[in-house]
Amino acid sequence: MTRVLVVGSDTREERALLGRLLQVAGLPPEALQRCADLDQCDLLLVRDTPALRSAAMHMASKRPAMRLWMHDDAGVVHDGRSSSPCHLDDAQIQRALAPSPPPPAPDNGEGLFLANGAKQMTRLLRQRLQERTGYALLSVRSEPLLLIDFEHDLAVPLNAGASAGSNLARQLGDLFDLLTLQELSAQRFQTLAGSMSRQPLRPLLWQMAQHSDNWTDFERRLQQHAQVSLLRWPDFRVLAHQHDGFRLCSLLLKKPCSLHECTRLLELDIDATRAFMRSAYLCGYAEVKVPEVASAPPPPTRQGASALLARMWRSVRNRTGSFA
């Protein structure tokens, strides 16, 4: 799946652009997902005007892994990172968007490495918990620690000494940025798990996030007054004996709030509130969105490329209706 952020086009033009890309690449509709968060998108697709081009180049320079494509009024696209704008033909678009063929299975019975490090791990865990598919092996420095069954929301500790929930959660949290996640087949999972005891996965991940300090990107978004909203009630096992957790759930289910709004409205400790938000986000119970408009008005002169892009995008959206 490719997450696409379209800038400079109204809703109708956006749908036409994405429809054409899907048709050219021969992909199903779900293969391209519209995205509203620049830090989460894989492809930034921008109308090619001087102002938007300059702003988009500035934004893309800070995100080397993100593709930048520019398009003209006719919908013809070219690579925005190329020094000489050469239009992408259908074959180039198809190669760029079509999923890569799966590599041959390794000889040792283990699967591909899916994630490495805290940021990749957070994104993938959220995705797999939502999809409820697949099996994986969690390791640190090549030492296997945990088998994961996403389909049944279960974890199998491989180290008997750390199998107690709190000890294992603390260990995983302390080593969060060093963890790697490796895909397993169902047969390989059953072979490794054998008759070892299973335990609920989400309460373990919830506690792991409470103990982890490797949340640089998440903390930056909270500092940008990100609005946190709860999608549904968490598993009650993660909130056992946590009165403040129930209060936060009740508030965030009613309306999105920033970190400081939660602490002010509920008179809570900011560190405990931050830890709750980390856990709810990692386990897929919450979503976080940085507002497009800052609370303070921007200065009248010498605005940066980031503010220019946000203002122009907002003006297009306001003329054409809400983001669909």
Side-chain angles (χ1 to χ4, degrees), residues 11-199:
T11 304
R12 180 182 58 80
E13 292 170 332
E14 179 180 296
R15 288 173 176 166
L17 280 168
L18 295 181
R20 177 175 176 267
L21 293 180
L22 285 169
Q23 182 179 14
V24 168
L27 297 173
E30 62 272 14
L32 293 185
Q33 178 178 324
R34 285 176 291 178
C35 177
D37 189 338
L38 187 63
D39 289 327
Q40 300 295 322
C41 83
D42 304 305
L43 169 62
L44 179 60
L45 186 57
V46 182
R47 181 180 292 277
D48 194 358
T49 67
L52 287 177
R53 185 187 313 122
S54 175
M57 290 294 292
H58 174 75
M59 304 299 283
S61 66
K62 300 179 180 180
R63 299 165 176 82
M66 181 184 68
R67 291 195 189 100
L68 172 61
W69 287 359
M70 313 294 295
H71 72 89
D72 58 22
D73 292 338
V76 178
V77 300
H78 67 268
D79 187 350
R81 295 185 184 273
S82 176
S83 55
S84 57
C86 180
H87 291 163
L88 299 176
D89 59 27
D90 289 356
Q92 290 171 314
I93 293 174
Q94 184 178 30
R95 285 195 298 270
L97 296 180
S100 303
D107 295 335
N108 62 358
E110 307 295 349
L112 297 174
F113 281 98
L114 301 172
N116 187 8
K119 187 171 183 178
Q120 288 186 18
M121 188 73 61
T122 300
R123 178 181 294 181
L124 188 70
L125 286 173
R126 281 173 53 82
Q127 176 186 336
R128 288 299 178 91
L129 286 169
Q130 181 180 7
E131 295 173 349
R132 299 182 68 90
T133 58
Y135 304 86
L137 171 66
L138 194 66
S139 305
V140 58
R141 300 189 184 98
S142 301
E143 178 186 351
L145 293 179
L146 188 74
L147 294 171
I148 297 178
D149 177 353
F150 289 108
E151 182 177 352
H152 299 97
D153 207 359
L154 293 173
V156 182
L158 296 175
N159 184 345
S163 60
S166 59
N167 293 336
L168 178 58
R170 184 177 295 277
Q171 181 183 9
L172 295 175
D174 291 341
L175 301 172
F176 193 31
D177 202 41
L178 302 176
L179 296 177
T180 57
L181 198 66
Q182 194 172 5
E183 186 177 33
L184 295 178
S185 67
Q187 181 179 4
R188 182 62 174 166
F189 173 86
Q190 296 298 338
T191 300
L192 294 175
S195 59
M196 289 187 287
S197 62
R198 273 73 163 164
Q199 67 183 69

Side-chain angles (χ1 to χ4, degrees), residues 263-320:
T263 57
R264 176 176 55 84
L265 292 172
L266 300 178
E267 299 181 348
L268 297 177
D269 176 75
I270 192 169
D271 290 332
T273 305
R274 186 184 290 111
F276 171 91
M277 290 180 170
R278 287 199 306 258
S279 294
Y281 182 74
L282 176 66
C283 293
Y285 296 124
E287 62 179 5
V288 179
K289 292 184 179 179
V290 177
E292 295 179 18
V293 186
S295 55
T301 59
R302 301 186 64 182
Q303 297 189 39
S306 176
L308 178 64
L309 178 59
R311 191 178 70 253
M312 290 185 173
W313 184 20
R314 187 170 65 253
S315 67
V316 171
R317 293 296 182 191
N318 289 339
R319 291 198 305 269
T320 58

